[in-house]
Amino acid sequence: MLLDRNNNAAILLAGILALVVGVGVARFAFTSLLPAMLENHLSIAFAGVLASINYVGYLSGSIFSIFIKDIHAKVKFFRIGLALCVITSLVLAFTENNTIWLLSRLFAGFGAAMALVVGSAIVMSKLQNTNKTKAMGIHFSGLGFSILVSDLIMRSVFTYSENWQHAWLALAIAGVIFACYSAYILSFDKQGADKVISHKFDKSLFTPLVIVLALAYFTEGVGMVVQATFLPDIVNSLPGLAGYGGYAWLAVGLAGIPSCIIWMRLAHRFNSIDIMMVAMALQVIAILIPTFSANIWLNLLSGVLYGGTFIGLVSLFMNFGGQLAGKNPVFIMGVITAAYGVGQVVAPLYCVALIAQFNNYNAALYLTAFIVLCGILLLKYAKNNLMTHNQLANNL
């Protein structure tokens, strides 16, 4: 059953494993390993630059995905993306050259976009005879699994070795196994491919609603990336919490796994816009907790709220955008993910500048929370002024 390319369970498993490779191995493993790398290789400033360059690659991949016309090309670039995610992680295991690291993170970002944006569009296209809103909630739970699996692999390696490069090697090996399965399942035979319509660039999809949605997702890109890059170090920097950052990051992954299913079911019951606003409001609280408390339980709650919202918000925005696009989900998915990527590029850079200025994370967190709050206001405007009754009904 799990080797049947047309079985929904196999399709969802392959999609989840693709997210583990593209988002876990190629992106979030960097966050898990950041404290260890800061000890003997990276500076906080260069870590911020690496995070930004990774999102430059992600942004370029998101934009590129908009112009992929047919299903055969989508499958090809999806597979290329998985390969890049594995190869660029392997590079980090064998070199400490800064230039190579910059190039590696750039290509890893591009590969991650192919795995997330194009891979998710393939999953949405292949799913048959099912409620796609609920099914895509299961698919996007892979974002939570990506954090959990990459963190557990890292922890397993560190029980035998304190060398962070060994962890990158183990992550790359696991990535090969997961990528092979995903590449096999998320493809089309000749008969299946004929049923999938090829799509061209469609300017008519650039409605005011899509533009506001993209701007709101930009603010969420900012809200997501600050803690995605620095959370373990943020917690470690608080009085009395040195060494607890890894546990906060683990809480992020654990909370993220069921969050997509929960948020997508809420969106199905109510409507996507309202649920997005609720999730972003909870994320603002998560971002602000480290600024006013060094209590370990509150900061673990911050990790839970952050993991339980940013992962759910990816699924909410991507699914909502895919439904607005109708039969061409990769188009709007690519557009809004490009906006998300811009936020991800900008945020680490202003964080590094504010950390250098104030010698702590508070100013960066205040600014980030304010930007996410602006995103909530944008969604409120979209709901009140841009969405028709029919659009709301169609996105329950």
Side-chain angles (χ1 to χ4, degrees), residues 279-289 309 368-370 372-373 376:
M280 291 177 77
L282 290 174
Q283 188 176 95
V284 169
I285 296 172
I287 292 168
L288 290 175
I289 284 175
T309 55
T368 302
F370 173 76
V372 176
L373 184 60
I376 298 173

Side-chain angles (χ1 to χ4, degrees), residues 77-120:
F77 283 106
F78 169 67
R79 290 176 171 178
I80 290 172
L82 291 177
L84 284 173
C85 291
V86 172
I87 293 168
T88 54
S89 299
L90 196 61
V91 165
L92 302 186
F94 293 103
T95 180
E96 296 183 26
N97 182 281
N98 286 351
T99 302
I100 294 176
W101 272 50
L102 286 168
L103 291 172
S104 174
R105 300 311 293 162
L106 178 69
F107 286 111
F110 182 88
M114 295 298 102
L116 175 57
V117 181
V118 180
S120 297

Side-chain angles (χ1 to χ4, degrees), residues 348-365:
L349 298 179
Y350 77 65
C351 283
V352 167
L354 290 173
I355 293 165
Q357 178 69 29
F358 297 100
N359 203 31
N360 61 49
Y361 285 96
N362 286 359
L365 294 174

